[in-house]
Amino acid sequence: MFKDDIFLNKRYLITGASSGIGADAALKLNSLGAEVICIGRNLNSLKEYKIWLNILINFLYIEKDLSDFYDLDAWVLKRVEEYGYFNGAVLSAGIQYILPLRSKFFLNKALDIFNINYFANMQILKGLLDNKAKTQSAASFVWISSISSIKGEKGLISYASSKAAINAAVKSIALEFAPKYRINAISPGFVMTNMIKEWSSVYDENFLENIEKQYPLGIGSTDYISNLISFLLSDLSSWITGQNLIIDGGASI
């Protein structure tokens, strides 16, 4: 579907690039010719990607904690001055806690979740959409949501709510910035990442087997998501904006 140079001379900002979907999207876009500026809170967590950092061209990683989000829009403008204009972004930064409503830590942890999943990514986007950022016309933005935003799950009240906020936000943002820019959300289902592998070692031996029963096409891989991200960032999706695209191997049906 993609030519090797489809993103040649294009530059993208990627949040949540330490691991999982964000890291895979960064490598995918770079392999297709894009320059990627990756933001992650822990460079050490890029262990499996360190070899790539040494050999990839136009691949830059910035270690930054996004929890202090108030000035992130101004921080993005400084990055524009440093690296040049962007052609879009992947907003993948996120955290998740199993947090029942009865938990005495519910409010504090809920705020932590919203601060990263919603407000930090929104501030990054706000900076890129500022006129001073000189973001290129026809730029496209992809915000990573989750099927938990549409499918209930015990203990994920705050996480699911933060992702539902993303789904609603992209509709209004799409209207505000059309036709110059496009923005869409992606709602992945259960995708195998290092975090999931760690979970499976903690839970019983049937953990992944029980999860897979819920997925007609099996548990997903990060590559499935990064392929869809690449499509939405490319000109091939030039008539798609304000949407939440579900990619979950059929789990939500």
Side-chain angles (χ1 to χ4, degrees):
M1 179 172 66
F2 299 114
K3 297 179 180 178
D4 291 341
D5 61 351
I6 190 172
F7 292 111
L8 193 64
N9 299 321
K10 293 189 176 182
R11 182 183 297 116
Y12 296 93
L13 193 67
I14 302 175
T15 71
S18 294
S19 60
I21 292 172
D24 198 78
L27 293 171
K28 171 71 72 174
L29 290 167
N30 189 255
S31 72
L32 293 171
E35 178 180 353
V36 291
I37 312 297
C38 304
I39 304 171
R41 59 183 170 179
N42 188 357
L43 187 59
N44 291 330
S45 67
L46 266 173
K47 291 177 182 177
E48 65 182 285
Y49 300 104
K50 280 186 176 178
I51 185 173
W52 294 105
L53 291 174
N54 295 325
I55 65 175
L56 289 176
I57 300 173
N58 296 324
F59 190 98
L60 180 66
Y61 190 89
I62 302 172
E63 189 172 15
K64 187 170 181 60
D65 183 355
L66 301 184
S67 59
D68 185 9
F69 60 85
Y70 288 97
D71 296 321
L72 282 177
D73 53 339
W75 181 85
V76 166
L77 290 175
K78 290 180 180 178
R79 302 292 76 75
V80 171
E81 293 176 5
E82 189 174 357
Y83 304 116
Y85 63 79
F86 287 87
N87 298 93
V90 180
L91 305 171
S92 182
I95 58 175
Q96 177 181 337
Y97 301 125
I98 304 299
L99 191 63
L101 185 59
R102 292 176 178 176
S103 168
K104 65 179 180 179
F105 305 110
F106 181 82
L107 182 56
N108 289 340
K109 292 293 186 181
L111 288 172
D112 289 345
I113 290 171
F114 265 88
N115 287 348
I116 295 293
N117 296 7
Y118 185 75
F119 290 112
N121 284 308
M122 183 69 83
Q123 283 290 85
I124 295 284
L125 181 61
K126 184 176 185 291
L128 290 171
L129 294 176
D130 190 302
N131 288 333
K132 289 180 287 187
K134 298 180 180 178
T135 297
Q136 297 296 283
S137 294
S140 178
F141 303 89
V142 177
W143 202 338
I144 303 302
S145 181
S146 167
I147 63 163
S148 66
S149 65
I150 60 171
K151 185 175 181 287
E153 199 73 43
K154 291 180 180 179
L156 293 184
I157 300 167
S158 299
Y159 178 78
S161 298
S162 71
K163 295 300 188 176
I166 292 169
N167 300 348
V170 298
K171 296 179 184 297
S172 293
I173 296 168
L175 289 174
E176 185 172 342
F177 290 94
K180 189 175 182 180
Y181 303 133
R182 297 184 296 112
I183 181 168
N184 293 286
I186 291 177
S187 285
F190 196 91
V191 172
M192 184 58 70
T193 63
N194 282 341
M195 180 180 70
I196 300 303
K197 291 175 184 177
E198 291 172 4
W199 282 5
S200 62
S201 65
V202 174
Y203 290 94
D204 65 70
E205 59 183 13
N206 297 320
F207 173 71
L208 290 179
E209 182 180 334
N210 291 334
I211 292 292
E212 191 155 16
K213 289 177 182 178
Q214 303 173 35
Y215 285 76
L217 299 183
I219 293 174
S221 71
T222 54
D223 191 55
Y224 297 159
I225 314 304
S226 55
N227 280 335
L228 181 54
I229 289 170
S230 300
F231 170 70
L232 289 174
L233 291 178
S234 77
D235 293 338
L236 295 173
S237 62
S238 59
W239 210 41
I240 302 175
T241 194
Q243 303 303 307
N244 173 35
L245 283 78
I246 298 168
I247 176 169
D248 66 355
S252 58
I253 60 173

